[in-house]
Amino acid sequence: MSRSEKSLMHNLLEEQVIQALREIRDPELPVNIYDLGLIYALDLDVTAGTVVIRMPLTAPACPVAQSFPATVECAVLRVPGIREARVELVWDPPWSRERMSESARLTLGMY
């Protein structure tokens, strides 16, 4: 497989993972976790079919802190080509409203 084919496959799979993440709503806000700015990094290995997602929660004392990573992993595992997904919770840098997309700010009336 050429480098450009591998790059194209990576981009397509990454878009599918992002779409899966956009279907997960924050439990306390009517916005998906991707547009909320909760996805800090996606480390995708197309060949192995693995993805590591680094994300915080909106607050360290979030009531779903124990179960939410598994929810995210299950959603991403439904993407064809993904065989393994792992969520790593990170707290640095802390999440802030500045990470939200424009559409999330509009939805939440934060303009």
Side-chain angles (χ1 to χ4, degrees):
M1 180 182 305
S2 73
R3 182 179 292 200
S4 63
E5 288 172 323
K6 198 170 189 177
S7 178
L8 178 61
M9 285 182 59
H10 182 277
N11 291 342
L12 290 172
L13 192 55
E14 183 177 62
E15 278 303 313
Q16 290 175 332
V17 168
I18 289 169
Q19 185 57 41
L21 294 170
R22 281 194 163 123
E23 293 178 16
I24 304 168
R25 301 266 180 234
D26 180 272
E28 298 174 329
L29 300 169
V31 177
N32 70 72
I33 63 171
Y34 191 83
D35 289 331
L36 198 53
L38 288 176
I39 305 303
Y40 282 12
L42 292 174
D43 292 330
L44 185 60
D45 183 330
V46 174
T47 306
T50 62
V51 64
V52 177
I53 300 165
R54 281 189 284 292
M55 64 178 290
L57 300 173
T58 52
C62 181
V64 296
Q66 296 299 317
S67 62
F68 205 60
T71 300
V72 173
E73 289 170 358
C74 286
V76 171
L77 283 170
R78 288 193 287 272
V79 173
I82 298 295
R83 291 186 286 280
E84 182 182 341
R86 188 176 79 232
V87 171
E88 295 177 357
L89 291 179
V90 296
W91 303 106
D92 189 33
W95 177 82
S96 68
R97 293 178 178 184
E98 288 75 36
R99 296 190 58 88
M100 293 177 10
S101 71
E102 186 175 328
S103 68
R105 289 185 188 144
L106 284 170
T107 299
L108 296 174
M110 295 184 167
Y111 268 103

